Amino acid sequence: MIDYETLKIIWWLLVGVLLVGFAIMDGHDMGVGTLLPFVGKSDVERRVIINTVGPHWDGNQVWFITGGGAIFAAWPLVYATAFSGFYWAMLAVLWALFFRPVGFDYRSKISDPRWRSTWDWGLFVGGSVPPLIFGVAFGNLFQGVPFHFDDNLVSYYTGSFWGLLNPFALLCGLVSTTMITLHGAVYLAHRTEGVIQQRAIRAATIFGLLLIACFAAAGVWLAYGIEGYVISSAVDAGGQADPLAKTVVREAGAWLANYKLAPLTILLPVLGFAGALGAILLARANRTLLAFVSSALMLVGVIGTAGASLFPFIMPSSSDPRASLTVWDSVSSYTTLGIMLAATLIFMPLIIFYTSWAYKVMAGKITEAYIRENDRGAY
């Protein structure tokens, strides 16, 4: 039997896996959408770009839906507090995502250039806004979110939407945007050829270098400019969830403490930098499949760095530090986590299997000749 403490750690890791899976699978088609108006210079070129992701973008959404469902079931206090505090930000993500199904399905139904251009920019919004907002959200987690609980564990958010748009959070938004756009550019380079591929490689170079610069700047800022959170009291890691049963203090440099306690975690930021640099170099060498793998490893490194730095905190509170939500005190019951783990062990392999099969079936280059020959069937 797995004990409660171990189950909490397992679900922290599983949520991380789902976030990374979402970034890899849904991230590349968001990155492609971000690049669409700039890499595609004509209607045919833009249709080529859209058709690299059009057949499977909706299947990739399963990672987003599963991640949200996992947070709801495994970390109900996090879900409730985050969605109330980040309400308008989450609505902005949903509004942006609305452009994607309509844009993909209706963009090429009418040949009017104004109609198609409008949906091209709609797909740009649907691809660029969610990564930016997700990055801003992570930036605010490191600074602490202004919320507290009453005696009945009802959360109260005391901040504002505009307060989320602070300098460090915006920098984290740039990290998220550049890494997703790099990932999309590498994927686009792998699925296209000729002038579109060359533009995608140039985009990968630009956004890869921007990512390296922004990731380094965020790390330095986090180390020297932002106080971290530390649990200063005893914690019953295997006990029932009670976020108010601990004491939390803020200390300079605390977000780096885990790298001293577990030195191997330093491999995560190293992987982020190395993966980005490898993606650039491999794409420029026209080794696009390896570049995509390197870009995926970059996503593991960057997202893993955020998780390792925050651990065991999930959602720190700037209003009442003891109300900060952690891996130990924001989870569901032992029974719920156990049932969910069993379901995950059954369905996660199925998701990976059918995703792999779908990409194998749709492998190959998308060309302008293909679009002209399949004018009615292509997106």
Side-chain angles (χ1 to χ4, degrees):
M1 292 290 290
I2 301 175
D3 60 66
Y4 198 15
E5 179 181 354
T6 303
L7 268 179
K8 293 176 181 180
I9 294 294
I10 288 174
W11 270 103
W12 177 78
L13 292 171
L14 283 175
V15 170
V17 168
L18 290 171
L19 291 178
V20 170
F22 168 62
I24 293 174
M25 301 309 302
D26 211 19
H28 73 258
D29 55 59
M30 286 186 178
V32 168
T34 302
L35 293 169
L36 174 63
F38 310 103
V39 174
K41 302 299 183 180
S42 67
D43 179 64
V44 174
E45 289 181 353
R46 292 183 177 183
R47 291 189 72 185
V48 168
I49 293 170
I50 290 171
N51 277 270
T52 63
V53 296
H56 58 251
W57 74 270
D58 48 354
N60 292 335
Q61 292 286 106
V62 70
W63 293 93
F64 180 58
I65 296 169
T66 305
I71 293 173
F72 169 77
W75 297 340
L77 284 176
V78 174
Y79 185 91
T81 305
F83 275 74
S84 60
F86 298 153
Y87 182 77
W88 289 107
M90 292 298 102
L91 276 184
V93 169
L94 292 176
W95 290 334
L97 291 175
F98 291 160
F99 285 104
R100 302 180 75 204
V102 183
F104 281 119
D105 287 340
Y106 291 102
R107 185 261 182 202
S108 297
K109 299 294 186 184
I110 300 176
S111 60
D112 187 336
R114 292 172 298 180
W115 170 269
R116 294 187 172 184
S117 178
T118 298
W119 287 115
D120 289 340
W121 286 103
L123 290 172
F124 165 78
V125 171
S128 60
V129 170
L132 175 65
I133 292 179
F134 291 145
V136 168
F138 266 95
N140 280 280
L141 293 182
F142 281 109
Q143 298 172 94
V145 180
F147 73 92
H148 63 275
F149 292 107
D150 64 14
D151 293 336
N152 296 316
L153 292 185
V154 176
S155 64
Y156 294 89
Y157 179 74
T158 56
S160 67
F161 172 78
W162 300 111
L164 299 175
L165 304 179
N166 55 78
F168 179 75
L170 291 174
L171 175 59
C172 291
L174 286 177
V175 172
S176 178
T177 297
T178 52
M179 77 175 187
I180 293 299
T181 309
L182 164 62
H183 194 52
V186 170
Y187 178 79
L188 188 59
H190 180 62
R191 293 297 310 279
T192 59
E193 58 185 25
V195 65
I196 298 176
Q197 184 184 61
Q198 293 305 311
R199 291 177 192 146
I201 291 172
R202 285 199 294 270
T205 302
I206 293 170
F207 283 98
L209 293 175
L210 284 174
L211 167 62
I212 291 171
C214 292
F215 189 38
V220 173
W221 195 337
L222 192 66
Y224 298 103
I226 296 178
E227 289 185 331
Y229 288 70
V230 177
I231 299 176
S232 59
S233 62
V235 174
D236 182 6
Q240 295 299 313
D242 184 0
L244 299 180
K246 65 179 180 301
T247 302
V248 176
V249 297
R250 303 194 66 171
E251 294 180 0
W255 289 136
L256 302 182
N258 286 332
Y259 298 101
K260 297 178 182 178
L261 296 173
L264 286 179
T265 54
I266 196 64
L267 294 177
L268 290 168
V270 170
L271 184 61
F273 286 115
L277 183 59
I280 295 171
L281 297 177
L282 289 166
R284 294 180 68 85
N286 208 28
R287 305 291 296 276
T288 52
L289 180 57
L290 288 176
F292 184 79
V293 173
S294 185
S295 178
L297 292 174
M298 171 272 296
L299 292 170
V300 174
V302 173
I303 296 173
T305 297
S309 299
L310 281 168
F311 185 85
F313 291 92
I314 300 172
M315 192 171 181
S317 169
S318 58
S319 300
D320 181 9
R322 72 184 182 122
S324 298
L325 298 174
T326 74
V327 172
W328 315 123
D329 55 29
S330 60
V331 299
S332 293
S333 67
Y334 177 85
T335 302
T336 300
L337 296 183
I339 293 173
M340 288 175 57
L341 178 60
T344 300
L345 293 176
I346 295 172
F347 291 105
M348 182 66 74
L350 292 177
I351 293 173
I352 294 173
F353 171 76
Y354 84 67
T355 299
S356 302
W357 176 81
Y359 274 83
K360 182 179 180 180
V361 170
M362 293 181 285
K365 301 285 187 179
I366 303 296
T367 64
E368 293 186 22
Y370 169 82
I371 298 299
R372 294 190 178 97
E373 293 169 4
N374 299 272
D375 182 64
R376 291 186 178 275
Y379 285 88

